[in-house]
Amino acid sequence: MDLGPLWLSVQLATVTMLLLLLIATPLGWWLAWTRSPMRPVIQSVVALPIVLPPTVMGFYLLVLLGPAGAVGSWWLELTGSALTFSFTGLVIASCIYSLPFAVQPVMSAFESVRNSDLEAAWTLGASHRDAFFSIALPQSLRGYLNAAVLTFAHTLGEFGVVLMVGGNIPGETRVIAIDIYDQVESLNYAAAHQLSMLLLLFAFFVLLAMFVINRRWRTT
Amino acid sequence: MSGNQQIRLRYALARSGFALDIAAEIPLQGVTGVYGASGAGKTTLLRCIAGLEQADEGELVVDGQRWQGPGYSLPANQREIAYVFQEPRLFSHLTVRENIEYGWRRRRRDDGVAIDAVVQLLGLGDLLQRRPAGLSGGEAQRVAIARALLRSPRFVLMDEPLASLDDARKAEILPFLERLPAELSLPVIYVSHNIDEICRLCDHLLVLDDGRLAASGALQSVLVDLNIPALAGDEASSVIAGTIAGFDAEYELTEIEFTGGRLWLPGILGTKGDALRLRIRASDVSLNRDRAVRSTILNLLEVVIEDVQDTRGPTQLVKLAVGQERLVARITRRSLEELELQPGDTVVAQIKAAAVRGPQTGEAEK
């Protein structure tokens, strides 16, 4: 069994997860506290990947990231290589595709941070930034755990967007879901079965671990 | 601490259905009470002083340093104050020790109070490793007080710290609050709508009424000002300071001496020479034209009527001078007219008094 695609998937999921936790922090904080009338608009944009078919997402990303697209052409000029059908392109696409799975739990966690706690921290000498890192962030760890697990698992199981934007280049864009599709296409059911079972068990145990930890957290 | 140290403030703000417009001076020593009905603006005033509320116009000068003025406002975290909220607001992800060290680690001066001293003062020794979720309401509020004190504040703001507690928990915390200003020599601004707490703890009093300052001054003189409607309710009281002159061991009574004479109080309340503070409710004072021959009331004092409240209700407050102290009595308007009581008259007052601050804190008296 060729584990290359699995390894590529894990790399993609890890990079995507880390980037999304960074992106979700300011975005989730803003969504949790803002009174701006733009809030529902931004919320809807963030949630789009949940409802859109991956092919629609993938198509627009292909257009955007392609050598003639707004982002793709700029990237081509900057680095000399195209974004589409590359690992970097896959990371960008994955970040957009999994964004709601990072923002939603982080935002909910920030929403449950009490303003009264932050006020108390300010009167105890903490600046806004200090209070964020010493009060809000530690009180939101559960949200971050959920966001990490969901984005990792979701990216690992990604298929449509990857196919549209990344294609099927071994070692560069052939992730596990694409590999399984290939094996089925070439009627190689045994290999497809092995990979599928691996993914299924992995997804199950990751989710199980998350729910068990969540439950423990609630009781302490 | 020299006597001219003070907080000078002026705040004006308008919210929907509420306006605050206050200018006041608060001494930077002892305990200053801020009294008023709910909705009078007490909490808003405290939040303005702490920098948590942005006033339309604000000015705050603490001991000559400008903290706030036109176009300038020191951020909340840079104002060296301790704020004790109505609720404890402990950080749930930290232990008790980590909670009380939160402000201490961020203090700006090192001449403040030591952790061990505050832990001992508030009786927190056994709680340090616990989580806030496992504390009773009274314990949590004590932790919150310790946490606030340890940030080395210039003064302490307390917003009804006892309001969310039942009577037993209040009785548990009040002694700590009484000892605090003297032991840590920290000025306190204490918000309350409970006149009993005010009488017990405060030396100085601001009265707020509907967002405005109705009165301010020394506790004893503000309490007996008949022109402050906020203080003329059922709880109208006066406070006098005295010392223990002796005891009647057989009947278990304590004799208190003050500038206007002597009073007997039930119980053995300390040792001879101890300073005591007495609260006398207006409804516990009655007036006689003559000295009653036989009465169950132990305390009869000759007093001079100084002022009579100008109202047309069924009862009226009468301000009385006795020695250097002032008392208020609540009597019916009918009695007032039947006895033809006038300012300047000398009458006999029958008094029931209660000690509100015991001898163990006598040193706190200024």
Side-chain angles (χ1 to χ4, degrees):
Chain A
M1 185 167 64
D2 176 16
L3 288 178
L6 177 67
W7 175 233
L8 190 68
S9 277
V10 169
Q11 281 178 304
L12 178 66
T14 308
V15 173
T16 303
M17 175 190 82
L18 294 176
L19 282 175
L20 276 179
L21 292 185
L22 283 181
I23 295 167
T25 300
L27 194 54
W29 187 257
W30 184 83
L31 285 170
W33 290 97
T34 185
R35 288 180 195 157
S36 160
M38 285 298 287
R39 183 180 190 266
V41 178
I42 303 295
Q43 254 186 318
S44 306
V45 170
V46 170
L48 271 179
I50 297 178
V51 291
L52 280 183
T55 44
V56 173
M57 293 290 305
F59 172 66
Y60 281 115
L61 282 170
L62 187 63
V63 171
L64 199 66
L65 302 181
V71 178
S73 59
W74 170 78
W75 183 266
L76 191 63
E77 216 166 278
L78 201 72
T79 66
S81 58
L83 265 181
T84 42
F85 309 108
S86 75
F87 185 75
T88 313
L90 270 195
V91 170
I92 295 174
S94 300
C95 280
I96 292 170
Y97 182 55
S98 293
L99 186 63
F101 296 87
V103 171
Q104 188 57 43
V106 169
M107 181 188 79
S108 308
F110 284 156
E111 276 173 342
S112 64
V113 171
R114 287 169 303 193
N115 190 45
S116 59
D117 276 19
L118 297 177
E119 281 187 354
W122 301 333
T123 65
L124 290 166
S127 65
H128 279 60
R129 175 197 295 259
D130 183 0
F132 173 79
F133 284 108
S134 61
I135 305 294
L137 207 56
Q139 289 187 355
S140 303
L141 283 185
R142 199 166 113 185
Y144 274 90
L145 174 80
N146 287 350
V149 169
L150 288 175
T151 49
F152 188 88
H154 191 244
T155 307
L156 209 60
E158 189 178 325
F159 177 72
V161 172
V162 177
L163 197 64
M164 299 285 279
V165 177
N168 187 2
I169 303 164
E172 181 74 21
T173 65
R174 184 189 283 175
V175 295
I176 187 163
I178 305 283
D179 195 30
I180 292 170
Y181 179 72
D182 270 359
Q183 303 288 4
V184 175
E185 285 283 272
S186 50
L187 298 176
N188 201 350
Y189 275 36
H193 191 55
Q194 280 177 333
L195 290 169
S196 297
M197 188 50 75
L198 204 65
L199 210 54
L200 189 140
L201 290 175
F202 175 79
F204 173 75
F205 283 108
V206 163
L207 290 174
L208 185 69
M210 178 180 80
F211 287 123
V212 167
I213 292 174
N214 264 332
R215 196 191 159 96
R216 283 245 186 95
W217 221 307
R218 204 169 301 141
T219 52
T220 51
Chain B
M1 235 181 265
S2 78
N4 55 17
Q5 289 183 313
Q6 62 172 9
I7 301 165
R8 195 160 51 76
L9 62 87
R10 190 175 57 78
Y11 282 108
L13 67 84
R15 300 273 187 271
S16 59
F18 174 75
L20 183 77
D21 189 356
I22 281 181
E25 282 161 11
I26 296 172
L28 261 176
Q29 66 172 32
V31 181
T32 300
V34 179
Y35 177 79
S38 55
K42 306 185 295 293
T43 298
T44 309
L45 175 65
L46 233 52
R47 290 176 58 84
C48 284
I49 295 174
L52 295 175
E53 199 82 42
Q54 283 313 311
D56 306 330
E57 283 176 58
E59 195 170 351
L60 180 64
V61 178
V62 177
D63 193 18
Q65 287 177 303
R66 181 168 296 273
W67 285 16
Q68 196 170 348
Y72 173 73
S73 178
L74 205 60
N77 65 304
Q78 290 174 30
R79 300 186 182 199
E80 289 174 284
I81 48 115
Y83 200 134
V84 179
F85 299 90
Q86 263 185 51
E87 340 78 58
R89 300 196 183 187
L90 299 183
F91 304 134
S92 57
H93 64 294
L94 302 177
T95 63
V96 167
R97 174 181 284 283
E98 289 164 339
N99 263 282
I100 64 174
E101 283 178 351
Y102 190 90
W104 183 75
R105 289 183 192 288
R106 291 164 174 79
R107 70 198 186 283
R108 287 158 179 275
R109 297 178 294 145
D110 223 6
D111 57 344
V113 272
I115 290 190
D116 291 345
V118 170
V119 164
Q120 199 180 357
L121 177 68
L122 288 159
L124 301 178
D126 297 335
L127 306 177
L128 292 175
Q129 305 310 323
R130 304 254 292 271
R131 292 263 167 189
L135 301 179
S136 73
E139 288 169 340
Q141 195 58 287
R142 265 153 56 202
V143 174
I145 294 169
R147 182 179 70 173
L149 296 177
L150 280 169
R151 76 156 301 202
S152 291
R154 304 290 302 276
F155 58 96
V156 184
L157 302 174
M158 292 199 176
D159 187 3
E160 310 211 30
L162 304 178
S164 59
L165 304 174
D166 59 38
D167 285 347
R169 297 280 96 65
K170 274 185 198 173
E172 170 191 328
I173 292 186
L174 262 167
F176 293 117
L177 295 183
E178 280 182 0
R179 297 215 298 266
L180 208 148
E183 295 206 6
L184 305 178
S185 51
L186 273 174
V188 177
I189 300 177
Y190 189 93
V191 159
S192 181
H193 67 267
N194 181 325
I195 199 75
D196 189 48
E197 287 170 25
I198 297 277
C199 288
R200 259 185 98 152
L201 298 170
C202 302
D203 314 303
H204 195 86
L205 185 60
L206 304 188
V207 179
L208 300 197
D209 192 8
D210 201 20
R212 291 172 178 279
L213 187 68
S216 81
L219 174 75
Q220 271 117 317
S221 56
V222 174
L223 277 179
V224 297
D225 186 340
L226 302 184
N227 301 314
I228 307 166
L231 287 171
D234 295 340
E235 290 284 292
S237 302
S238 51
V239 161
I240 62 176
T243 52
I244 295 182
F247 305 96
D248 182 333
E250 189 187 346
Y251 293 105
E252 293 177 58
L253 297 170
T254 301
E255 186 176 35
I256 315 287
E257 183 176 33
F258 73 108
T259 59
R262 287 162 186 254
L263 293 169
W264 289 98
L265 261 67
I268 302 298
L269 299 175
T271 54
K272 196 171 170 183
D274 283 344
L276 279 184
R277 177 184 280 194
L278 307 180
R279 174 192 180 190
I280 300 171
R281 292 167 189 269
S283 52
D284 285 343
V285 179
S286 59
L287 301 179
N288 302 343
R289 268 295 181 191
D290 312 298
R291 191 169 276 268
V293 186
R294 293 164 76 83
S295 168
T296 57
I297 306 274
L298 284 169
N299 298 313
L300 299 174
L301 290 176
E302 255 186 22
V303 300
V304 178
I305 296 179
E306 215 168 57
D307 196 7
V308 176
Q309 192 187 16
D310 188 19
T311 58
R312 291 297 292 172
T315 64
Q316 272 171 296
L317 291 174
V318 178
K319 181 176 174 182
L320 311 165
V322 50
Q324 285 159 26
E325 306 285 351
R326 298 292 179 274
L327 307 178
V328 280
R330 179 180 295 287
I331 59 177
T332 61
R333 188 154 47 86
R334 192 167 77 181
S335 305
L336 188 82
E337 285 174 9
E338 280 178 7
L339 272 74
E340 296 176 332
L341 298 174
Q342 300 285 344
D345 289 0
T346 298
V347 291
V348 175
Q350 294 186 319
I351 298 165
K352 274 196 259 180
V356 288
R357 196 194 268 184
Q360 72 275 12
T361 57
E363 306 86 61
E365 297 287 356
K366 295 274 157 13

